[in-house]
Amino acid sequence: LTMEPYEKVKLARSSDRPTVREYINALFPNSVELHGDRCFGDESAMVGGIGYLGKTPVTFIGIDKGRTTEERIKNHFGSPGPEGYRKALRLMRQASKFRRPVITFVDTAGAYCGEEAEMRGQGQAIAQNLMEMMKLDCPVVTLVTGEGGSGGALGIAVSDSLYMLENAVYSVISPVQGCEAERRRRENAVHNGRRHGPLRCCRRNRQRGFRQLPVHVQKDIPSSLKRDRTSFGKDCGGAPMRTVRQIPQ
């Protein structure tokens, strides 16, 4: 079945898809859920604990949107706050200490962007996760079950292996936010998704502020760091952006 790119995004966000908590309950029936970040509180949108995958003890962490309206509101529709990422990091450090594999489940449009989350260090919490996950002494496997958006997804997705379910999406920014940055109009999100696709860069970089460095600045850059202009798209004018190709279905 052929679908438009934005239709795939809407399918990834569908409320009929299984939630992360449902995946965890099915894979780890005798699991123990752990709570709290040992700093501020607990985050219901970030589910984490210990269970057995077959006979192997593992640590599981996932971002859950919730099933009912009450659960979705409580979980900020799958957008964790900073305490959620600190809880995830606490569990990953524990798994690294006891040499347990870590399995993470991603289904989020991004981290919670409320004022209180920023006051409690949302950006710092995600950045800390990115740095610490690169140094873990245990294997990490990530599964994108629905939508994987922005740094909110990457905060638990720096892994050795990453897998995506059918009709799942994984992008640096949500299509609507990308459309706002490119078009400055939210209602053009559908048109933008049809034209460029969720995993394709816009080529008109010159009109959007991506300019080639001035000659006097280029002279100060070591030759080892300079990149061949021919490696970029024809319409990019040498701007530092590559076209991301969509994976064939």
Side-chain angles (χ1 to χ4, degrees):
L1 180 63
T2 302
M3 293 186 296
E4 295 287 346
Y6 196 69
E7 292 177 345
K8 295 182 180 180
V9 173
K10 291 192 291 185
L11 186 59
R13 296 173 175 173
S14 173
S15 59
D16 295 329
R17 297 177 72 98
T19 65
V20 165
R21 187 176 288 275
E22 290 170 350
Y23 281 115
I24 290 175
N25 292 337
L27 290 172
F28 315 106
N30 298 319
S31 61
V32 176
E33 186 175 349
L34 303 177
H35 300 273
D37 66 342
R38 304 298 187 266
C39 181
F40 178 81
D42 190 37
E43 172 59 74
S44 58
M46 189 72 74
V47 182
I50 304 171
Y52 278 89
L53 185 63
K55 296 183 179 181
T56 304
V58 300
T59 293
F60 60 84
I61 301 168
I63 302 175
D64 182 55
K65 290 184 176 181
R67 174 62 65 188
T68 65
T69 302
E70 291 76 12
E71 290 176 347
R72 287 175 173 263
I73 294 175
K74 181 180 179 181
N75 295 351
H76 301 294
F77 296 88
S79 297
E83 47 274 8
Y85 292 99
R86 285 192 287 263
K87 176 171 73 171
L89 180 58
R90 180 176 71 84
L91 298 182
M92 287 185 282
R93 285 173 172 168
Q94 182 191 81
S96 180
K97 177 180 179 179
F98 293 101
R99 296 293 195 272
R100 285 195 304 265
V102 176
I103 303 177
T104 65
F105 300 84
V106 174
D107 187 15
T108 178
Y112 184 57
C113 56
E115 180 181 359
E116 60 273 24
E118 298 297 337
M119 292 176 64
R120 296 197 298 270
Q122 181 73 289
Q124 190 274 340
I126 295 176
Q128 185 76 11
N129 279 25
L130 301 183
M131 181 177 65
E132 293 291 336
M133 289 186 74
M134 297 179 187
K135 302 185 294 184
L136 293 177
D137 293 328
C138 60
V140 181
V141 178
T142 295
L143 180 65
V144 182
T145 63
E147 183 180 12
S150 191
L154 195 60
I156 62 169
V158 180
S159 56
D160 300 287
S161 299
L162 186 145
Y163 301 91
M164 298 175 62
L165 298 186
E166 186 177 7
N167 296 318
V169 296
Y170 191 35
S171 58
V172 69
I173 190 171
S174 71
V176 173
Q177 291 176 322
C179 177
E180 289 179 340
E182 180 183 344
R183 301 267 183 178
R184 300 286 186 254
R185 295 182 64 188
R186 180 181 295 269
E187 58 269 21
N188 284 328
V190 176
H191 170 73
N192 184 57
R194 288 173 178 171
R195 181 172 183 180
H196 300 298
L199 296 177
R200 189 175 300 170
C201 296
C202 178
R203 290 175 173 238
R204 294 199 295 268
N205 297 320
R206 282 189 177 276
Q207 288 81 4
R208 289 175 174 79
F210 294 97
R211 298 286 195 270
Q212 187 178 2
L213 291 175
V215 177
H216 69 277
V217 177
Q218 294 186 32
K219 291 180 180 179
D220 297 330
I221 300 177
S223 58
S224 60
L225 298 181
K226 292 184 179 179
R227 301 170 70 178
D228 187 3
R229 286 171 58 92
T230 60
S231 63
F232 305 111
K234 295 180 180 180
D235 299 329
C236 291
M241 177 177 287
R242 294 180 182 271
T243 300
V244 180
R245 297 181 180 179
Q246 286 183 306
I247 301 174
Q249 297 294 323

